[in-house]
Amino acid sequence: MCAYSVFNTFPVYPLSAKPLILLAFCRYRYHTSLFNRAGFQSMIADVEAGKVKQVIVKDMSRLGRDYLQVGMYTEIFFPEHDVHFIAVNDGVDSNQEDNEFTPFRNIINEWYAKDTSKKIRAVKRSKGMAGEHIGSHPPYGYMKNPENKKEWIIDEEAAEVVREIFRLCVGGYGPTQIANILTERKILCPTYYALEKGEKPRTVLPAHKYAWNSPVVAMILERVDYLGHTVNFKTHNKSYKCHKKIKHTPDQWKVFEGTHEAIIDKETFEIVQKIRAGKRRPTRMGEMPMFSGLLYCADCGSKLSFSRRAEDPPEKHNFICANYRSNTSKCTMHYIRNVVVERIVLENLKEVIQYVSNYEDEFVRMIMDSDMRQRNRELSQKKKRLAEAQKRMKSRASSNRKKRKAWM
């Protein structure tokens, strides 16, 4: 049998002077509001195996700061397993009868964890609204500037992989195909790449270091950070007790443009997003129609899904309303054959080419006017962002002056 101690340090006596073996489970790197810390789980396993007769903690907060969980262990779990529990500084001893104040002490300990969580949230909120990076790790392709940890700089080795992923997507490859290509080329996946750079793993390590997968590729293709923008508040936790991340919609994000060097240019990024918006899934026969994912129903606005049978000739392949296909009461029965769509698009292209040939000067003027209007809109947006950035800088400088005066 043994006794468990949750002290940061404890006296070491010769074995001959100890009636029990004294062990300590590691508390470091874990907040005491968490009960899934490795050392704690190890202790619970030993208790359930009948190897522990006594648990000693410095005070009740060292066992945990969730009063419900702490109460469950001290009032139910430990007595059921005949474990003697002691909290030294708080004077708690399960063999004594004067522990009535202990539940209130547990509530106070939880208030401390809750208050700490509120303060951390407030600090992160302040940093996020000021345009600072609030994530602990830069995205794949960037690294922290050794001279200024708040600044991201390009990691050229990883950045070239990011550019290749975007090039492959523009070339018509989907996330799964891109992942297979990167795996075949034996390019380190982001988790193992970070590990080789001396960083701690951010997720569970894959089966092997070259194992790329489609979700990772899709996430890279959708990250606005690669345009040189800081994107804050993409997720949140409901409370300090619940660590499941809840995603925000893009309109809830806070985006600060031009905060670091871009890896992907805006034009390439927008092309990729358009491709991603019109995802095309191959049929069971491995085919991918040219206009799959790009057509919409004129009546209800739903996408048109590609439909065919194995024995049908290409002339009978068609697109049908996905809304009607899933629920016939939501739309009417109508379809359009793939060959008809191709013929309509081809005829329209011929008309455009004919117009350009006949009215070249007018067409060039129209394109230039459209380009000028677009440039003016972009210039106006950049001026607006510059004014916002200058306003934030003035506000931050004013806040720093007030802090200096307070210190003086």
Side-chain angles (χ1 to χ4, degrees):
M1 293 299 176
C2 65
Y4 260 97
S5 170
V6 197
F7 285 94
N8 285 344
T9 58
F10 53 88
V12 178
Y13 301 102
L15 286 175
S16 58
K18 291 191 294 185
L20 299 175
I21 301 172
L22 187 63
L23 301 176
F25 66 89
C26 183
R27 188 183 65 86
Y28 306 108
R29 292 180 57 240
Y30 291 91
H31 196 283
T32 47
S33 62
L34 302 176
F35 283 84
N36 62 348
R37 51 197 196 270
F40 187 87
Q41 292 301 317
S42 174
M43 182 191 75
I44 294 302
D46 286 346
V47 170
E48 291 175 338
K51 298 178 180 179
V52 178
K53 279 297 180 183
Q54 191 175 63
V55 172
I56 306 171
V57 297
K58 180 180 179 181
D59 52 52
M60 293 300 296
S61 67
R62 294 304 173 94
L63 183 65
R65 293 186 183 275
D66 185 328
Y67 79 97
L68 292 176
Q69 291 266 43
V70 171
M72 187 276 291
Y73 283 113
T74 57
E75 301 293 334
I76 300 173
F77 184 79
F78 290 154
E80 282 183 351
H81 292 83
D82 195 25
V83 172
H84 181 201
F85 177 76
I86 298 173
V88 179
N89 287 355
D90 291 335
V92 177
D93 188 333
S94 61
N95 287 348
Q96 305 297 323
E97 299 296 330
D98 55 349
N99 298 322
E100 290 80 4
F101 188 71
T102 301
F104 299 100
R105 185 178 285 110
N106 294 337
I107 292 175
I108 294 170
N109 289 334
E110 179 166 329
W111 282 346
Y112 175 81
K114 188 175 183 179
D115 184 58
T116 302
S117 174
K118 283 183 178 179
K119 290 176 179 177
I120 292 173
R121 282 173 181 253
V123 170
K124 285 194 172 184
R125 183 77 185 172
S126 176
K127 287 183 176 180
M129 294 302 292
E132 293 184 25
H133 303 297
I134 56 177
S136 55
H137 300 284
Y140 180 70
Y142 288 101
M143 61 182 179
K144 291 183 179 180
N145 188 342
E147 299 177 359
N148 181 6
K149 297 296 184 181
K150 293 183 178 181
E151 182 184 347
W152 289 352
I153 58 175
I154 291 179
D155 180 352
E156 282 300 335
E157 184 179 352
E160 188 53 39
V161 178
V162 173
R163 296 186 189 104
E164 179 63 12
I165 289 172
F166 275 81
R167 282 195 291 266
L168 289 169
C169 184
V170 172
Y173 293 93
T176 302
Q177 294 169 309
I178 295 173
N180 292 337
I181 291 172
L182 297 176
T183 302
E184 289 172 4
R185 294 181 183 177
K186 293 187 176 181
I187 295 174
L188 286 174
C189 68
T191 305
Y192 271 99
Y193 181 80
L195 195 62
E196 290 210 353
K197 290 292 183 179
E199 299 179 16
K200 295 176 183 177
R202 306 171 194 175
T203 59
V204 177
L205 292 175
H208 61 88
K209 58 185 179 180
Y210 305 118
W212 286 78
N213 56 56
S214 57
V216 171
V217 174
M219 181 184 67
I220 289 174
L221 291 171
E222 293 169 0
R223 290 207 71 150
V224 182
D225 308 70
Y226 293 124
L227 288 172
H229 308 334
T230 296
V231 186
N232 290 333
F233 310 119
K234 291 193 286 187
T235 62
H236 77 281
N237 298 331
K238 280 190 175 181
S239 75
Y240 68 98
K241 290 186 178 182
C242 178
H243 299 280
K244 181 181 178 181
K245 290 189 178 296
I246 299 173
K247 292 183 178 180
H248 289 161
T249 56
D251 59 299
Q252 294 176 298
W253 298 351
K254 191 68 177 177
V255 181
F256 300 87
E257 299 186 358
T259 55
H260 50 270
E261 189 177 353
I263 293 177
I264 304 299
D265 61 89
K266 186 178 179 181
E267 183 180 358
T268 302
F269 188 83
E270 289 178 349
I271 291 171
V272 166
Q273 301 319 303
K274 288 179 180 178
I275 293 172
R276 298 280 298 146
K279 297 175 185 176
R280 299 186 296 170
R281 293 191 178 95
T283 65
R284 292 180 181 178
M285 283 67 80
E287 297 179 3
M288 190 179 291
M290 184 186 303
F291 299 105
S292 178
L294 301 175
L295 305 179
Y296 294 84
C297 176
D299 294 336
C300 67
S302 297
K303 280 192 175 184
L304 298 183
S305 60
F306 186 66
S307 176
R308 61 159 290 181
R309 291 180 297 182
E311 66 273 12
D312 286 345
E315 293 78 16
K316 288 192 175 183
H317 298 175
N318 60 79
F319 292 93
I320 187 172
C321 175
N323 202 6
Y324 174 82
R325 198 172 189 176
S326 61
N327 189 338
T328 55
S329 64
K330 291 184 178 180
C331 197
T332 58
M333 170 60 185
H334 48 266
Y335 68 91
I336 183 169
R337 297 197 187 281
N338 185 46
V339 291
V340 175
V341 175
E342 291 178 351
R343 186 171 66 249
I344 292 172
V345 172
L346 182 60
E347 289 174 357
N348 275 271
L349 283 174
K350 288 179 178 178
E351 290 177 5
V352 172
I353 293 170
Q354 184 66 32
Y355 176 83
V356 173
S357 300
N358 296 337
Y359 305 98
E360 184 177 353
D361 294 340
E362 184 179 347
F363 179 78
V364 170
R365 187 167 58 254
M366 287 170 57
I367 295 298
M368 290 179 65
D369 290 343
S370 176
D371 183 63
M372 185 60 68
R373 287 193 296 271
Q374 178 65 25
R375 287 176 181 272
N376 288 336
R377 281 196 296 269
E378 290 179 357
L379 180 61
S380 177
Q381 291 173 356
K382 288 180 179 179
K383 286 181 177 179
K384 183 180 178 181
R385 291 196 297 270
L386 177 62
E388 290 176 351
Q390 290 175 338
K391 185 178 178 181
R392 288 197 304 271
M393 291 174 65
K394 288 181 180 178
S395 175
R396 193 180 300 177
S398 176
S399 176
N400 290 338
R401 283 196 297 270
K402 289 179 181 178
K403 288 180 181 179
R404 283 196 295 269
K405 288 181 180 178
W407 290 337
M408 294 173 66

